[in-house]
Amino acid sequence: MTARPLRIGNASGFYGDRFDAVREMLTGGPLDVLTGDYLAELTMLILGRGRLKDPKRGYASTFLRQMEENLHLAHERGVKIVTNAGGLNPAGLADAVRDLAEKLSVPVRVAHVEGDGLPVPDGYLTANAYLGGAGIAACLRAGADIVVTGRVTDAALVTGPAAAHFGWGPGDLDALAGAVVAGHVLECGTQATGGNYAFFDDHDVRRPGFPLAEVHADGSSVVTKHDGTGGVVDIGTVTAQLLYETQGARYAGPDVTARLDTVTLAQDGPDRVRISGVRGEAPPPTLKTGLNRLGGWRNEVVFVLTGLGVEAKARLVRDQFTDALARAERAPAEVRWELARTDRPDAPTEETGSALLRLVVRDQDAEAVGRAVSGAAVELALGSYPGFHVTAPPGKGVPYGVFEAGSVPAEGAAHVAVLPDGRRESVPAAGRYRTLEPVGEPPLPAPLPAGPTRTVPLGLVAGARSGDKGGDANVGLWVRSEDAWRWLAHDLTVERFQELLPETAGLTVVRHVLPRLRALNFVVHGLLGEGVAAQARFDPQAKAVGEWLRSRRLAVPVTLLAPTEVPV
């Protein structure tokens, strides 16, 4: 007899997400499993710094407060909870949940997964391998009601419960791959239900509900949300999330490599999108690792330039600041200026008549970015350009972090499931592997016949979603009709992409083609320097690069534009 579908919901896409989401998901409709994703590259650095102050912490304390309010609800409704909120100390969080359950008189069985922690090299704060879902599955099979993990892949929060429910083993590659895709859609919470969505004005997304997936025994799923919650689930919102923070057609993980070029999406009713056809391959022979270290110190001053002569005012303050730093005992090693022309002529308000000049300095020495910079900014207050002021008082330098991705052999991580009764079950690695190779570019559709064009923003035709992976950024674009795909696939080459986004012109850009999604995914290597924690760029996580691209103008066939967008 085929097992019934497993309803898996998500209540957190990052450390700091909507606090009430746990209650909303538990009370909004039926669920079997509720997941919470609290970890990101930056979060591990934050937890690492927190652990320096208190070695007993190192986990996402928000989860514990959410459980204090909602543990009884999960128990009453028979919903199992799986979370990576354990961060750097899953055993500590598991103990804290047990203490809380005893205090609240809620009889729950708590298990945790460990083994992701690696020896931390000198000079680093954290070192972790990304584990798969097999440890989670072992905990659930042993009767756990709550499973706490450290650094697992985001999709593992779904593959683990699904494998436990359906009895999948390491060889069920297609089923596991389908669950990985469902997990990737759920992992960022409301990004799957209309949040951060390119075509947000098509729907009411003021308070989108959190997503859930009905996972089936063959790995196919239906992404949806609780009835009556805000936002929308359609092919566009799911496509956008599928493209988020991915690279090529092979989406590798510890359990399986999912082929994103095999994903088929279909609208299955209002707020329901069916995911099917996903093929899986053996995982690579290595696990991804993440290391965090403090990279140095940074400081920032934002000067406000109002009214006439913005460029001249910017030159003056730059010259003055350069002279002041030259006189300093120790000048910063890195000094970056960026003028943002947010002003407009004949502005009706002072704010709209002002531009922002941003100064960012970085150095290994805190003093070099501290007094030397803040002192110079303060001393210019009465002797620089007319209307001199800054957005905030200059302060001391603050530390910044650096994330480094690496790998270890898949057999090298001591993946352990610590079961509710305290027994420790060693979790074997996948056992069979396939080295990752690029997928050859698939055949492109026939080009759109030549015809009249109009120069308009790309966003009138295409949606986009962008994000970060260490120092790299990805920009995924998709279109909603076959004719638009025929145009996009041929017109938006790497060369055109770099013309539209000049910041990428000197970097390596790789284009990946996903015809089933009518999508292109561009990976821009090195755009983010040393990663989000280094704060090296105005948009350090590349969240808005896709929207910048959509705002750029190019010649678009008139046949792809709405009548109101075409000149009479």
Side-chain angles (χ1 to χ4, degrees):
M1 181 177 179
T2 302
R4 62 175 179 80
L6 185 69
R7 286 174 64 90
I8 305 178
N10 171 283
S12 176
F14 68 102
Y15 192 9
D17 210 341
R18 190 191 305 168
F19 186 87
D20 292 336
V22 172
R23 178 176 291 272
E24 292 169 9
M25 290 301 288
L26 289 173
T27 60
L31 279 181
D32 299 306
V33 179
L34 182 61
T35 67
D37 182 3
Y38 293 79
L39 300 185
E41 294 166 0
L42 179 60
T43 311
M44 298 298 279
L45 176 68
I46 293 170
L47 295 177
R49 291 180 62 187
R51 190 174 57 173
L52 290 177
K53 300 176 183 178
D54 182 356
K56 295 180 181 179
R57 301 303 291 270
Y59 54 76
S61 57
T62 298
F63 173 76
L64 202 57
R65 292 191 289 115
Q66 289 171 313
M67 288 301 96
E68 187 170 9
E69 293 189 8
N70 298 291
L71 193 59
H72 68 287
L73 287 174
H75 176 64
E76 290 169 2
R77 288 161 171 75
V79 178
K80 296 183 182 295
I81 294 176
V82 179
T83 180
N84 60 18
L88 300 172
N89 188 8
L93 180 55
D95 286 340
V97 172
R98 291 187 189 96
D99 292 343
L100 176 64
E102 183 176 355
K103 172 185 172 183
L104 299 176
S105 299
V106 179
V108 295
R109 293 160 294 184
V110 183
H112 73 274
V113 176
E114 57 186 43
D116 60 297
L118 301 174
V120 181
D122 290 343
Y124 286 79
L125 283 176
T126 70
N128 299 81
Y130 287 66
L131 303 179
I136 296 171
C139 292
L140 292 171
R141 285 195 296 265
D145 301 305
I146 297 178
V147 182
V148 173
T149 79
R151 180 70 279 185
V152 296
T153 64
D154 299 336
L157 301 179
V158 170
T159 61
H165 180 72
F166 296 113
W168 298 336
D172 293 307
L173 297 176
D174 291 345
L176 287 167
V180 163
V181 170
H184 181 56
V185 173
L186 296 189
E187 70 183 59
C188 288
T190 55
Q191 279 194 174
T193 58
N196 299 356
Y197 183 51
F199 303 111
F200 66 94
D201 51 359
D202 289 350
H203 311 281
D204 183 355
V205 294
R206 289 173 292 179
R207 187 179 172 83
F210 276 70
L212 63 92
E214 299 168 354
V215 182
H216 294 258
D218 63 354
S220 65
S221 63
V222 173
V223 176
T224 183
K225 60 188 184 69
H226 284 323
D227 292 342
T229 56
V232 63
V233 178
D234 65 14
I235 289 176
T237 65
V238 173
T239 299
Q241 180 55 28
L242 277 177
L243 295 173
Y244 183 61
E245 295 182 343
T246 59
Q247 297 188 359
R250 286 191 164 101
Y251 186 69
D255 300 310
V256 65
T257 293
R259 290 290 297 262
L260 298 182
D261 54 350
T262 64
V263 176
T264 296
L265 303 180
Q267 199 72 37
D268 195 49
D271 293 318
R272 293 176 62 84
V273 171
R274 182 171 296 279
I275 301 174
S276 62
V278 185
R279 301 300 302 273
E281 298 172 345
T286 57
L287 299 178
K288 176 184 173 181
T289 61
L291 291 85
N292 281 287
R293 61 179 171 85
L294 293 180
W297 297 79
R298 71 185 298 278
N299 205 346
E300 178 175 328
V301 183
V302 179
F303 301 88
V304 183
L305 314 175
T306 303
L308 304 177
V310 165
E311 301 283 348
K313 291 171 180 173
R315 283 195 299 271
L316 173 59
V317 74
R318 287 186 62 166
D319 289 345
Q320 291 177 306
F321 220 95
T322 300
D323 179 67
L325 291 180
R327 297 171 186 273
E329 182 177 331
R330 175 79 162 80
E334 180 181 340
V335 179
R336 296 182 58 182
W337 295 89
E338 186 73 28
L339 177 60
R341 294 301 302 266
T342 53
D343 58 307
R344 63 178 97 162
D346 195 22
T349 65
E350 180 180 342
E351 187 170 357
T352 57
S354 300
L356 300 176
L357 178 64
R358 182 171 178 251
L359 166 66
V360 177
V361 296
R362 301 203 302 174
D363 199 282
Q364 293 296 308
D365 182 359
E367 283 297 316
V369 302
R371 186 179 299 277
V373 174
S374 59
V378 170
E379 290 172 5
L380 289 176
L382 301 181
S384 188
Y385 60 87
F388 179 100
H389 66 287
V390 294
T391 57
K396 298 179 180 179
V398 295
Y400 70 87
V402 174
F403 173 84
E404 297 177 9
S407 63
V408 295
E411 312 284 346
H415 193 171
V416 175
V418 183
L419 307 181
D421 61 5
R423 288 182 297 119
R424 300 175 62 85
E425 181 177 316
S426 179
V427 179
R432 58 175 180 167
Y433 308 103
R434 174 173 178 162
T435 302
L436 280 179
E437 299 172 342
V439 173
E441 182 166 309
L444 299 181
L448 203 63
T453 62
R454 184 184 179 193
T455 300
V456 298
L458 174 61
L460 294 185
V461 177
R465 174 70 60 75
S466 56
D468 66 312
K469 279 295 181 186
D472 301 337
N474 92 292
V475 185
L477 295 104
W478 78 96
V479 290
R480 299 187 282 188
S481 72
E482 194 60 31
D483 281 350
W485 172 237
R486 293 171 63 187
W487 169 75
L488 185 77
H490 289 276
D491 198 81
L492 195 58
T493 60
V494 168
E495 293 72 24
R496 180 65 59 86
F497 179 93
Q498 293 180 307
E499 289 172 6
L500 294 172
L501 302 186
E503 280 188 55
T504 71
L507 302 173
T508 299
V509 178
V510 180
R511 185 180 98 150
H512 302 280
V513 181
L514 299 169
R516 288 174 182 261
L517 300 177
R518 296 188 185 127
L520 301 174
N521 193 25
F522 293 88
V523 179
V524 185
H525 293 276
L527 180 66
L528 306 179
E530 294 174 304
V532 56
Q535 296 284 311
R537 189 177 177 275
F538 166 68
D539 175 14
Q541 289 182 283
K543 295 287 190 180
V545 174
E547 286 303 295
W548 175 31
L549 179 59
R550 293 183 70 236
S551 74
R552 300 290 284 165
R553 300 172 69 88
L554 73 170
V556 174
V558 169
T559 56
L560 302 182
L561 301 174
T564 55
E565 299 161 351
V566 181
V568 178

